[in-house]
Amino acid sequence: MTANTLASLASALISGSVKVVDLTAPLGPDTPVLYLPPQFGKNTPKVKVHTISEYNQDGPFWAWNWLELGEHTGTHFDAPCHWITGKDHPNNTTDTIPPQNFVAPVNVIDRSKEAAANPDYLLTVESIKEWEAQNGAIEAGSWVLLRTDWYKRNGSTETFLNADENGPHSPGPTAEAIEYLLTKGIIGWGQETIGTDAGSAGGMNPPFPAHNLMHKANRYGLASLSNLDQLPAKGAVLIAAPLKFVKGTGSPVRALALIA
């Protein structure tokens, strides 16, 4: 039965009846990166691409580059050790997480209208339960992704971070929403903003609850996702595998979804 299932999936991929959706933002020197206030410490650098050779005297038959970038840049995966609450878990780094955890069913909660009306929109427990009443319960072992269409702002740091003198303004979950999702046994939480928390999350209790609580539970995060508007509420399979960095706290990923 397992062999037949895989053969059917392979045939469906070849025929196009199962579609592959790219959930990844372009990664390059113009990729927006998170800027933290000075009191929080050092910031991640902008992406830099350094040429080694390009069909010239440094390498006549080939072109290649070396890259300078942070682990949490562009569309990226957060491992549990990324946050202090997850630092003591076993298998909490990108090289030790079981690979089967990189492939899982996905639930997409569409709150794009709410985020368009209010960039500080926060997903609540009540809103999640309304979604479940319409689409079915969130399964253990699945991803939950918040669709806000924020990825359409990803063309510039200014529009993507959406910050003013009061700080960044972007949607995300309440602490109670993350706590509720963890009771469902989800494997990870993701969204389209530059991080897995709302722009106002530094003032929440606990601060940055998506990071604090998800990684405390040895779960994962995905940030800067794109094209969630192409996914159904349920039924897609998410593939998000970080690079196997030794002791990595996270990694840029090519996040993909399979939909029928």
Side-chain angles (χ1 to χ4, degrees):
M1 183 179 294
T2 301
N4 290 338
T5 299
L6 290 175
S8 297
L9 175 59
S11 296
L13 287 167
I14 291 171
S15 69
S17 60
V18 168
K19 182 181 178 182
V20 181
V21 179
D22 192 354
L23 306 182
T24 316
L27 181 63
D30 296 328
T31 295
V33 297
L34 182 64
Y35 289 104
L36 298 171
Q39 64 268 27
F40 282 102
K42 293 182 179 180
N43 277 298
T44 192
K46 294 281 287 184
V47 177
K48 295 181 181 179
V49 182
H50 304 272
T51 301
I52 300 173
S53 68
E54 191 173 8
Y55 324 117
N56 54 21
Q57 68 276 6
D58 295 319
F61 304 125
W62 53 86
W64 55 350
N65 307 300
W66 69 273
L67 307 178
E68 184 178 347
L69 74 167
E71 294 170 308
H72 302 266
T73 304
T75 303
H76 65 273
F77 181 100
D78 289 348
C81 71
H82 175 45
W83 216 251
I84 191 170
T85 53
K87 69 182 181 64
D88 295 323
H89 286 300
N91 302 323
N92 66 349
T93 57
T94 55
D95 59 321
T96 59
I97 295 170
Q100 63 266 30
N101 291 0
F102 303 142
V103 182
V106 58
N107 302 275
V108 181
I109 299 177
D110 180 3
R111 295 295 178 259
S112 54
K113 292 181 181 178
E114 291 82 351
N118 176 17
D120 290 309
Y121 169 77
L122 297 177
L123 181 71
T124 64
V125 174
E126 291 74 19
S127 185
I128 297 171
K129 289 182 176 180
E130 289 174 4
W131 182 91
E132 288 187 294
Q134 296 172 352
N135 299 284
I138 292 168
E139 313 92 340
S142 64
W143 280 92
V144 175
L145 307 180
L146 176 61
R147 174 193 163 190
T148 56
D149 291 349
W150 201 261
Y151 80 93
K152 296 177 181 179
R153 295 169 169 258
N154 204 340
S156 77
T157 296
E158 181 180 0
T159 58
F160 200 47
L161 272 62
N162 196 36
D164 60 18
E165 65 276 6
N166 297 314
H169 300 274
S170 57
T174 62
E176 294 78 13
I178 294 297
E179 289 171 342
Y180 175 74
L181 291 173
L182 287 169
T183 70
K184 308 292 287 188
I186 67 169
I187 198 168
W189 161 264
Q191 54 185 47
E192 298 167 329
T193 57
I194 201 161
T196 58
D197 273 296
S200 61
M204 294 181 182
N205 184 24
F208 306 103
H211 285 84
N212 186 305
L213 299 172
M214 290 300 297
H215 300 323
K216 183 178 181 180
N218 205 20
R219 299 295 186 260
Y220 316 122
L222 284 172
S224 294
L225 292 165
S226 297
N227 300 322
L228 296 187
D229 50 355
Q230 297 185 32
L231 301 188
K234 276 183 173 289
V237 173
L238 176 65
I239 304 169
L243 295 174
K244 204 171 183 178
F245 289 139
V246 176
K247 298 183 180 179
T249 72
S251 165
V253 296
R254 188 69 178 262
L256 306 172
L258 305 181
I259 62 173

